[in-house]
Amino acid sequence: MPQNEYIELAQKRHGKRLDHDERKRKREARAVHDSSAKAQKLFGLKAKLYNKKRHNEKVQMKKTLKMHDERTNKHKDDEAVPDGAVPAYLIDREGQSRAKVLSNMIKQKRKEKAGKWNVPIPKVAAVAENEVFKQISSGKRQKKGWKRLITKATFVGEGFTRKPAKYERFIRPMAMRYTKAHVTHPELKATFHLPIIGVKKNPSSPMYTQLGVMTKGTVIEVNVSELGLVTTTGKVVWGKYAQISNNPELDGVINAVLLV
């Protein structure tokens, strides 16, 4: 368990207070007033940054609410032509159709079960271990050289905590860690800067997948909540897979194509 998760550890050991849920509800109810009071007190650059953050949150919330409302809304459909004769009082009335929602959730789930995707780059040259790992000799065991420095782009989660230097076998440098990717939607023909959730599969080696090494052809999971993709039931799609289409260690950025 990471070093800073002492609250979760205490809850696992001793459980929660009896009024935990009520206190949490009240804290969340007060949060609105606290943020408002904070916004009124701040000034200068901090105020600008804070107000921008709150504005983005409100815009995102409005988008989500609008998306949920769109399911039940009726839209004009000029193409809907009634069959047969129409009474005079209905001639000027446009046809109506329910809002259509595009969803690939079922297809994606089937692909996940099978472990196969129709990827844009089907064949990728395997990356050898001597390219990815650089041998490092440190401490008393200099002759053995048991440490490895990863030279390719990597991804580590938010709660990642490094092991002590004495026990750390694989070193992932901060400069080579990436948290966002430029993801291109093949149907929309548009590129979005999206956060990375995790590395799904690196075709070169399962060990690279486990370490979060990202090379050309690697399938990663990205957060597409800001794209506004929804399922047929109206739920917002949170994560989708994308395949890396460039060499991140050479370009300094991650470019990927969304697997639709």
Side-chain angles (χ1 to χ4, degrees):
M1 184 175 278
Q3 298 159 355
N4 57 348
E5 291 185 4
Y6 51 89
I7 294 173
E8 286 83 349
L9 186 63
Q11 284 178 351
K12 279 182 182 176
R13 283 178 180 166
H14 312 294
K16 296 177 182 178
R17 291 170 57 123
L18 295 172
D19 60 345
H20 172 79
D21 295 321
E22 183 63 17
R23 283 163 65 92
K24 189 181 177 185
R25 184 190 65 77
K26 285 182 178 178
R27 197 182 300 116
E28 284 171 3
R30 282 198 305 270
V32 185
H33 302 287
D34 293 340
S35 60
S36 175
K38 190 179 177 183
Q40 289 173 41
K41 282 182 183 177
L42 287 174
F43 59 90
L45 185 62
K46 280 187 179 179
K48 282 184 179 179
L49 293 169
Y50 187 72
N51 288 331
K52 189 173 187 297
K53 182 188 164 189
R54 287 191 77 198
H55 175 72
N56 291 341
E57 284 172 5
K58 286 175 184 176
V59 167
Q60 194 61 42
M61 187 175 66
K62 282 180 182 176
K63 278 183 182 176
T64 312
L65 291 170
K66 191 180 178 184
M67 209 183 300
H68 285 296
D69 290 342
E70 198 177 24
R71 284 188 304 139
T72 52
N73 287 351
K74 287 186 176 181
H75 294 267
K76 287 182 181 178
D77 189 6
D78 299 325
E79 294 175 11
V81 180
D83 297 330
V86 181
Y89 60 86
L90 290 179
I91 286 172
D92 294 332
R93 188 176 290 183
E94 300 98 338
Q96 287 185 336
S97 68
R98 292 277 170 188
K100 291 179 183 177
V101 187
L102 182 70
S103 167
N104 296 307
M105 191 179 70
I106 298 161
K107 287 180 187 175
Q108 194 176 351
K109 278 191 177 177
R110 282 178 190 161
K111 282 177 186 174
E112 281 172 34
K113 282 181 183 175
K116 294 175 185 176
W117 302 277
N118 185 15
V119 288
I121 309 167
K123 291 182 181 179
V124 186
V127 185
E129 283 194 12
N130 56 1
E131 282 184 51
V132 178
F133 301 125
K134 181 184 174 185
Q135 187 175 319
I136 285 184
S137 52
S138 65
K140 291 179 182 178
R141 293 181 275 182
Q142 292 221 355
K143 289 178 183 177
K144 292 184 179 179
W146 57 284
K147 285 194 177 190
R148 295 287 179 271
L149 180 76
I150 298 170
T151 57
K152 303 286 181 186
T154 55
F155 170 78
V156 294
E158 276 186 37
F160 173 73
T161 310
R162 281 183 65 179
K163 288 181 182 177
K166 189 177 177 182
Y167 305 111
E168 192 174 33
R169 181 176 167 77
F170 296 102
I171 300 165
R172 285 169 276 196
M174 286 285 289
M176 297 301 286
R177 292 184 199 169
Y178 292 85
T179 54
K180 289 198 170 186
H182 300 285
V183 182
T184 304
H185 197 295
E187 289 175 7
L188 298 174
K189 297 285 188 291
T191 305
F192 305 93
H193 197 213
L194 303 175
I196 301 169
I197 300 169
V199 177
K200 178 67 180 174
K201 190 175 183 183
N202 190 320
S204 299
S205 167
M207 186 167 70
Y208 297 167
T209 308
Q210 194 179 353
L211 290 168
V213 178
M214 294 183 287
T215 54
K216 189 175 182 179
T218 304
V219 177
I220 57 171
E221 194 175 1
V222 288
N223 188 347
V224 293
S225 55
E226 60 187 66
L227 265 64
L229 300 172
V230 288
T231 63
T232 44
T233 53
K235 290 182 180 178
V236 179
V237 178
W238 188 64
K240 259 189 172 298
Y241 294 130
Q243 189 184 30
I244 295 172
S245 57
N246 71 324
N247 292 312
E249 69 278 3
L250 301 178
D251 300 341
V253 291
I254 293 172
N255 298 333
V257 181
L258 201 70
L259 304 182
V260 180

